[in-house]
């Protein structure tokens, strides 16, 4: 499989998290990881209907997925600001 990969969605290795950001990520990561491993594959192997997708996403939001993403966004924004300076 030979294809062009531009690494546009690769997480920059220079990004660091503050202690507070690490704590916030740790607060959510275990529950999110468990939820993903228990549910996502069910959509892939078709044991869960795609009609349940919205409920799945709502479950992720309920356990803090948006908050975890916000922490990653903060760290990325700080990295980009430092890189531009």
């Amino acid at each position: 499989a030979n294809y062009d990969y531009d690494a546009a969605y690769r997480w920059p290795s220079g990004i660091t998290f503050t202690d507070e950001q690490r704590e916030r990520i740790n607060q959510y990561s275990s529950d999110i990881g468990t939820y993903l491993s228990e549910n996502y594959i069910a959509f892939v192997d078709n044991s869960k209907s795609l009609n349940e997708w919205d409920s799945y996403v709502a479950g992720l939001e309920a356990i803090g997925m948006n908050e975890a993403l916000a922490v990653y966004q903060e760290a990325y924004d700080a990295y980009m600001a430092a890189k531009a300076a």
Side-chain angles (χ1 to χ4, degrees), residues 21-32 63:
Q21 288 171 329
R22 250 190 309 283
E23 285 178 29
R24 289 169 51 204
I25 290 169
N26 290 339
Q27 177 183 354
Y28 300 110
S29 64
S30 178
D31 290 339
I32 291 170
I63 60 174

Side-chain angles (χ1 to χ4, degrees), residues 80-85:
M80 292 304 289
K83 189 175 175 181

